Amino acid sequence: MDSLQKAPKVIGTIIEVHGPVVVIDCAVLPPLRQALLTRFDDVVYIFEVHQHLDERHIRAITLHGTAGLSRGMAVCDTGAALHVPVSEHCLGRLLNIFGQPLDGLPPLPKQEFRNIHAKPQPLYEAVGITGILETGIKVIDLLCPFVKGGKTGLFGGAGVGKTVLVMEFIHAVSAIHQGVSVFAGVGERIREAHELWREMQQAWVMDDTLMVFGQMDESPGVRFRVALSALTYAEYLRDTLHKEVLFVVDNVFRFVQAGSEISSLLGRMPATVGYQPTLVSEVAELQDRIFSTRQGAITSVQAVYVPADDMTDPAVSAILSHLDTTVILSRDQASKGIYPAVDPLLSSSKLMDRHTLGDRHYDIAEAVREHLARYRELEDIIAMLGIQELSEVDRKIVMRARKLQRYLTQPFLVLGQQTKQTGVSVPLAQTLTDCEAFLAGDYDHLSEQDCYMRGSMLAS
């Protein structure tokens, strides 16, 4: 942001202020997405150009609160779009949309700046699917694996373990892959942001993580652009460190909501269900920059709120079209003490095929899902008539499915201090071996409790 203030040129004056929208009379029209600024009592206000109304007037969205703005204030052109300072020293930091510190530490060294609206890398730089990104979480790696450079949607309400799962993903990328993570907090509540920051420090994952927040009480312009600001840091870390980068967005639906708010303020006619007419292109602009190159990979995990649990909602559909993997966190699973509370039947991946996973992984995953699906079909009969009324084959399937359900739980490494339980990370090869043994009946003699909240079956 500091670089935006070098030799600014006055180009016009404010003539209207409508909440976060300002109308500016300009002698020369600045291009769309240009960053403009004005000053009031030594406070700098940054605007972003969104509309050309005629040959002299533009509409811009302020990226600050509007208290203090008034008609007649001079507006200066910064000569560039919004850009942020980037540095290898950004890891371990808590920043805002401008790259300014929120953690009370000194600002980042301003050696290089990057435009938050940078174009995606050219297509010839793209690297295709190179394999599975192991997380050490049994149910994820087995049934809905992450793909290097892919995009995963994490669907879940409050209290089902979404934040803990995100922290475990960040820990896995750091510990297993020696990678780094960038967390974009889009419209986060201040309390949630503070709690997450402190929990990540206590879990010792903050040193390899950068957090960028656009909080719920900030301008819709901030909530709309903070994900792009965080993605700019992810691209920088990919290109300079040449490492695995995990890009986490919480919550991508709030990004859509901010775009809808801005669209209404600019006077655009709403489209389907009241969303902005530019919904699909705005989502695509963010998603298409989550890109892996020969320099490094960006793998994305995006928390997605589902309005009224309607997966056909236009915003959810626009986001889903870009996702490779869908992880559904179920309150029913959580109520049974099954953590992580991943629903193994609703969660899926577009890449669950023999070509990507290999025959062994695919066959075991399908067999596990078949056992769990058959158990769910028989639950009502068991509740009414008892398990003894089932055939011998179905009793065996139910017994193994219940043990598999409990085996797919595990204590998390990032919760060791809170639960006083040693967390575990299980390699995919060991998960496959254990599930193969369950399916073959090698563990039929064990009780369900023996399978619950443990790592591999070889562990004591």
Side-chain angles (χ1 to χ4, degrees), residues 57-85:
H57 298 92
I58 63 170
R59 278 199 184 106
I61 300 291
T62 178
L63 301 180
H64 298 270
T66 53
L69 292 181
S70 62
R71 296 170 64 184
M73 294 179 69
V75 176
C76 301
D77 186 358
T78 65
L82 183 66
H83 47 280
V84 293

Side-chain angles (χ1 to χ4, degrees), residues 73-365:
M73 294 179 69
V75 176
C76 301
D77 186 358
T78 65
L82 183 66
H83 47 280
V84 293
V86 292
S87 165
E88 292 184 8
H89 303 291
C90 64
L91 292 174
R93 300 300 303 273
L94 190 67
L95 306 176
N96 66 9
I97 185 177
F98 306 108
Q100 297 170 327
L102 297 174
D103 49 14
L105 299 176
L108 293 178
K110 297 175 179 61
Q111 300 170 346
E112 182 183 347
F113 288 84
R114 283 204 174 193
N115 182 354
I116 71 166
H117 297 293
K119 294 181 180 179
Q121 292 288 333
L123 197 57
Y124 61 80
E125 289 286 342
V127 174
I129 294 168
T130 57
I132 292 173
L133 183 74
E134 288 192 34
T135 64
I137 302 171
K138 293 179 287 187
V139 65
I140 298 286
D141 290 343
L142 176 68
L143 299 177
C144 43
F146 287 9
V147 179
K148 287 185 180 179
K151 305 179 185 74
T152 298
L154 195 61
F155 297 79
V160 294
K162 181 177 59 181
T163 301
V164 173
L165 204 52
V166 164
M167 289 168 58
E168 192 74 6
F169 293 153
I170 292 173
H171 184 277
V173 166
S174 176
I176 300 175
H177 304 282
Q178 287 74 53
V180 296
S181 301
V182 177
F183 181 94
V186 182
E188 286 280 322
R189 298 175 182 87
I190 295 175
R191 172 187 57 79
E192 289 176 341
H194 183 266
E195 287 177 357
L196 179 62
W197 179 41
R198 293 302 184 191
E199 286 172 0
M200 291 182 65
Q201 287 177 323
Q202 293 170 7
W204 303 102
V205 296
M206 195 63 205
D207 289 345
D208 293 317
T209 305
L210 165 66
M211 305 183 79
V212 184
F213 282 106
Q215 295 169 352
M216 188 173 282
D217 64 334
E218 295 191 77
S219 160
V222 170
R223 289 181 271 120
F224 189 50
R225 295 306 190 197
V226 69
L228 292 180
S229 184
L231 184 52
T232 303
Y233 282 102
E235 291 171 333
Y236 172 78
L237 293 171
R238 175 197 65 194
D239 298 339
T240 57
L241 299 185
H242 311 303
K243 286 187 174 183
E244 196 74 45
V245 179
L246 180 69
F247 178 58
V248 182
V249 185
D250 187 11
N251 186 304
V252 71
F253 183 76
R254 295 196 191 114
F255 161 77
V256 173
Q257 284 183 310
S260 179
E261 191 175 339
I262 286 175
S263 182
S264 298
L265 290 167
L266 295 176
R268 297 192 186 118
M269 184 70 70
T272 311
V273 199
Y275 287 109
Q276 62 269 43
T278 52
L279 169 65
V280 174
S281 59
E282 288 171 2
V283 171
E285 180 185 9
L286 173 66
Q287 301 288 353
D288 286 351
R289 280 181 58 187
I290 302 172
F291 201 82
S292 296
T293 69
R294 286 174 285 222
Q295 304 296 327
I298 298 180
T299 303
S300 174
V301 176
Q302 304 172 24
V304 184
Y305 168 72
V306 182
D309 294 329
D310 180 14
M311 295 294 285
T312 64
D313 183 87
V316 176
S317 297
I319 297 165
L320 272 172
S321 65
H322 293 274
L323 300 179
D324 301 306
T325 302
T326 303
V327 178
I328 307 293
L329 297 181
S330 163
R331 198 169 300 281
D332 182 58
Q333 291 284 91
S335 68
K336 296 175 182 176
I338 306 297
Y339 287 102
V342 176
D343 190 310
L345 302 181
L346 295 179
S347 301
S348 63
S349 174
K350 293 179 181 177
L351 303 166
M352 283 290 291
D353 57 58
R354 296 181 186 275
H355 176 72
T356 306
L357 304 182
D359 288 339
R360 182 167 180 255
H361 185 169
Y362 180 83
D363 289 338
I364 292 172

Side-chain angles (χ1 to χ4, degrees), residues 388-404:
Q388 298 305 319
E389 295 300 316
L390 301 179
S391 67
E392 184 178 346
V393 172
D394 280 343
R395 280 202 302 271
K396 190 174 291 185
I397 289 175
V398 169
M399 176 187 67
R400 291 174 183 172
R402 287 178 62 87
K403 289 176 183 176
L404 280 166

